[in-house]
Amino acid sequence: MTKLAISVVLYSSDMALLSEVIDSLSKACIHTSRTCALFCALDLVNNKPDDEHKEAISTLARSASTEHLSVVFIDAGVNGGYGAGNNISIRRHEDADYHLVLNPDALIQEDALTNALAYLESNLDVGLLTPQVKGLDGTMHHLCKRNPTLLDMFIRGVSLPWLDRLFLQRNFRYEMRDQDYLGVIKPVPYPTGCFMLFRRSVLDRVGGFDEGYFLHYEDADVGRQVSQVSKIAYVPSVVVLHKWSRDTHKSWRMRWITIKSGLRYWRKWGGVF
């Protein structure tokens, strides 16, 4: 039997949306179990120590568990960051064949896991799969990216209309828009963090997420690490609907967190222009 571990890290999450995310996972697990023996284990890792929704999340976890999807609520106790939260789940499921890191605002289509696992079973050179991501209105998001330089991080972090216009072609290249998003793209240097399906053996080789990142660029970092030992593939038949939130631009605190993560990434990997 194939075991798929799934981690969803929470922090003041929308309970109604979280319920939808779990429901989409449950339907996807059932869909996949029709063609192969699959067991899914979902960890809801709560990173907010004083979250008033703890009991509600715990109750949701118990009620959502089925024969195809086991749901467990984990109270991290301290907010060590997004990567650290996922690492808690990664360490819990050393026996898994695959590990899915999923955002609490990402709804997967019913056949997403079926298509993703079928691709990974047929392409043993791929250690990390990234999906086609659409907004809730069906608009495609271009989330395959080349490795960011300090300049790229500055342009996207500042997000000024005149600066975006000035570097429009650079942004297009950064988002790999010269590639066909309707077909498989391989390799992808920097995969989206909203849905990262790892082959467990590859995840073990890179050691999970670098917990030095509190939030942002941990996905870019783990992509660099995976690329050193395996390939990353974008597979458009795996579709995710993402209620995307640009929290980086909502407060100066989030801007500062992003800047610190960007500087850590740059010190580790280099690249200015």
Side-chain angles (χ1 to χ4, degrees), residues 28 46 68 204 232 235 237:
N46 187 42
H68 299 290
D204 287 337
I232 302 173
V235 182
S237 63

Side-chain angles (χ1 to χ4, degrees), residues 1-6 29 36-43 68 70 89-100 117 121 197-200:
M1 176 176 285
T2 299
K3 178 178 177 180
L4 169 65
I6 308 163
C29 291
C36 71
L38 176 70
F39 176 71
C40 300
L42 168 62
D43 289 341
H68 299 290
S70 168
S89 177
I90 289 168
R91 288 191 290 266
R92 273 175 38 86
H93 297 285
E94 294 181 351
D95 61 334
D97 300 286
Y98 299 98
H99 193 104
L100 171 61
L117 294 177
E121 289 293 325
L197 181 56
F198 295 89
R199 195 182 300 278
R200 178 68 207 210

Side-chain angles (χ1 to χ4, degrees), residues 31-127:
H31 186 280
T32 307
S33 68
R34 293 172 186 153
T35 55
C36 71
L38 176 70
F39 176 71
C40 300
L42 168 62
D43 289 341
L44 301 176
V45 183
N46 187 42
N47 262 7
K48 188 177 182 183
D50 59 345
D51 194 345
E52 66 274 17
H53 297 307
K54 278 185 185 180
E55 186 57 40
I57 299 170
S58 180
T59 300
L60 176 60
R62 290 192 298 270
S63 64
S65 291
T66 67
E67 62 176 308
H68 299 290
L69 177 67
S70 168
V71 187
V72 174
F73 170 69
I74 298 172
D75 187 5
V78 62
N79 186 8
Y82 184 75
N86 279 297
N87 281 346
I88 291 173
S89 177
I90 289 168
R91 288 191 290 266
R92 273 175 38 86
H93 297 285
E94 294 181 351
D95 61 334
D97 300 286
Y98 299 98
H99 193 104
L100 171 61
V101 171
L102 187 71
N103 273 15
D105 55 5
L107 305 167
I108 69 173
Q109 289 200 339
E110 190 173 19
D111 62 353
L113 294 181
T114 302
N115 295 340
L117 294 177
Y119 182 87
L120 288 171
E121 289 293 325
S122 301
N123 295 269
L124 299 181
D125 61 326
V126 175

Side-chain angles (χ1 to χ4, degrees), residues 198-230:
F198 295 89
R199 195 182 300 278
R200 178 68 207 210
S201 59
V202 170
L203 190 55
D204 287 337
R205 291 183 67 182
V206 302
F209 288 92
D210 181 343
E211 297 186 11
Y213 297 91
F214 183 77
L215 187 65
H216 300 300
Y217 291 109
E218 64 283 310
D219 47 1
D221 181 86
V222 81
R224 292 287 287 254
Q225 294 185 68
V226 169
S227 294
Q228 293 179 341
V229 299
S230 185

